[in-house]
Amino acid sequence: RKLIDSATIGICVLQDAKLRFVNPRTLELLGYRESELIDRPFLEFVHPDDQMTARANHAKRIAGLGEGLTYAVRMQTRHQGWRWVEVSGVRFEWHGRASTLNFIVDITERRESEQQIRDLAYHDTLTHLPNRRLLMDHLKMARAAYHRNGKHGALVFIDLDNFKPLNDQHGHAVGDLLLIEVAQRLLHHIRGADTAARFGGDEFV
C-alpha cells in the first residue's frame, strides 16, 4: 500500500468497468477528489472518440488477453481539460472477483511533440500550408480518386512577380509577411476539399 500511495504514476482498480480504487497520483492527474471517482464508470472520463478503444482493450485485459497491452486515450481532467494518457495493466482478483489493475501515465507533452514533428515533416513552417511532400501525396490520392470515378480536377501553379526585388528593398521579414498573406488568401478562396500548398520560395499550388 505504501508503494502504491507513493507511486509517481496513476494506479487504479477497475471492476465491472467502474473505478473501485485510485491512488493519490491518479487524483493528482485527474484533479478530482477520491469520492468523485470511486464507483464511477471509467468511460465517463474518457473522450467519446476514444471510448471504443478503451472498452475493447479493457475487455481484452479482463479476459486475460492483455499481456503487454498498452494504449493511449484522452481523459477528462478537472483542471487541465482533456489530457492524453497511456494505460497499461494486468488482470487480477479484487475481493474475489475479476478486475484489472491499471497504470496511468500522462503523455500529453509527448503526443504534442510527436504532432509537431509530423507537422514539420509535412507543412511549411512559415505559412503552415502543406509542403511539397504532402502536396505530392494529395495529388496521388486525387489522381487515384479521379481514375475510379471518372471525374477531373484542376491544378493551378502560382508564383509571385517581383518577389526578389521586394525582399532586396524591404528585407526578408517583409517578404515573409507577404507569403503569409498570400497563403491566407488562398485558404480563404478554396473549398474545404481543396488543397493549397507552398511549393517552395514564392511558388504556390
Side-chain angles (χ1 to χ4, degrees), residues 90-151:
V90 294
R91 183 185 187 277
F92 81 132
E93 297 291 315
W94 176 263
H95 297 295
R97 296 179 56 207
S99 308
T100 60
L101 182 65
N102 303 274
F103 309 104
I104 302 173
V105 179
D106 190 318
I107 59 167
T108 303
E109 282 74 23
R110 190 180 84 193
R111 294 282 297 214
E112 289 175 348
S113 296
E114 291 170 351
Q115 183 60 50
Q116 288 174 355
I117 291 171
R118 286 193 292 270
D119 287 344
L120 288 172
Y122 289 101
H123 290 82
D124 175 55
T125 55
L126 177 65
T127 64
H128 302 297
L129 291 180
N131 59 18
R132 186 183 304 203
R133 182 178 180 182
L134 185 54
L135 170 66
M136 299 310 293
D137 286 345
H138 284 196
L139 283 174
K140 288 178 182 177
M141 289 188 291
R143 290 181 65 189
Y146 298 148
H147 182 72
R148 287 195 306 271
N149 59 34
K151 295 181 179 180

Side-chain angles (χ1 to χ4, degrees), residues 47-122:
H47 193 284
D49 293 344
D50 301 329
Q51 288 185 7
M52 186 179 296
T53 297
R55 186 183 293 109
N57 285 319
H58 176 68
K60 285 181 183 178
R61 209 183 308 281
I62 208 75
L65 304 174
E67 185 177 351
L69 176 64
T70 301
Y71 61 94
V73 295
R74 285 159 290 185
M75 291 194 70
Q76 178 71 62
T77 68
R78 167 165 284 170
H79 53 319
Q80 298 183 86
W82 294 107
R83 302 284 292 181
W84 279 102
V85 300
E86 189 173 73
V87 183
S88 58
V90 294
R91 183 185 187 277
F92 81 132
E93 297 291 315
W94 176 263
H95 297 295
R97 296 179 56 207
S99 308
T100 60
L101 182 65
N102 303 274
F103 309 104
I104 302 173
V105 179
D106 190 318
I107 59 167
T108 303
E109 282 74 23
R110 190 180 84 193
R111 294 282 297 214
E112 289 175 348
S113 296
E114 291 170 351
Q115 183 60 50
Q116 288 174 355
I117 291 171
R118 286 193 292 270
D119 287 344
L120 288 172
Y122 289 101

